[in-house]
Amino acid sequence: MFIFSVTAKAKSAIDGFDQGDSAPFIVYIDFQDLMGAEYLARYYVTKEGFYDITIDKRRQLERSKLAGFSKKNQQVKEALKTGYAIQLFDKD
């Protein structure tokens, strides 16, 4: 599983962000290949109504540690179930 720290701009007013505002995300992608996971992260953020996507940080979680992380982190649990999860942070 890969975890991406992402910044993207809102196409329209969404969840407290005005059009053109930069929004911070954490995107969880359960995929084996980094390039494919990064493509999917960009795709899912775009699908949510954002553009000009920048991947700020990348991190891979080892399969052996996922069980422990999924107990503590709802997004990891969701990504293991559906293949991805997106967490949008507040504007402030």
Side-chain angles (χ1 to χ4, degrees):
M1 175 178 294
F2 290 93
I3 301 173
F4 299 97
S5 175
V6 176
T7 306
K9 293 182 181 177
K11 288 182 184 177
S12 60
I14 299 174
D15 292 334
F17 292 91
D18 294 328
Q19 182 178 358
D21 283 352
S22 290
F25 294 88
I26 298 291
V27 182
Y28 302 81
I29 303 289
D30 189 21
F31 202 76
Q32 294 182 10
D33 175 65
L34 173 62
M35 296 304 288
E38 188 171 315
Y39 174 83
L40 288 170
R42 290 175 185 276
Y43 170 77
Y44 289 126
V45 171
T46 300
K47 189 176 170 185
E48 292 298 321
F50 293 84
Y51 70 99
D52 196 17
I53 299 160
T54 303
I55 304 291
D56 300 314
K57 294 182 184 178
R58 300 160 182 83
R59 181 174 178 208
Q60 184 175 16
L61 290 178
E62 296 176 23
R63 284 269 168 215
S64 60
K65 296 181 180 179
L66 286 178
F69 275 102
S70 68
K71 291 178 184 176
K72 299 175 186 175
N73 188 313
Q74 183 63 33
Q75 285 77 22
V76 171
K77 186 175 185 177
E78 180 70 20
L80 287 172
K81 182 178 176 183
T82 65
Y84 76 100
I86 299 174
Q87 183 177 5
L88 172 63
F89 290 97
D90 293 335
K91 188 175 182 176
D92 298 325

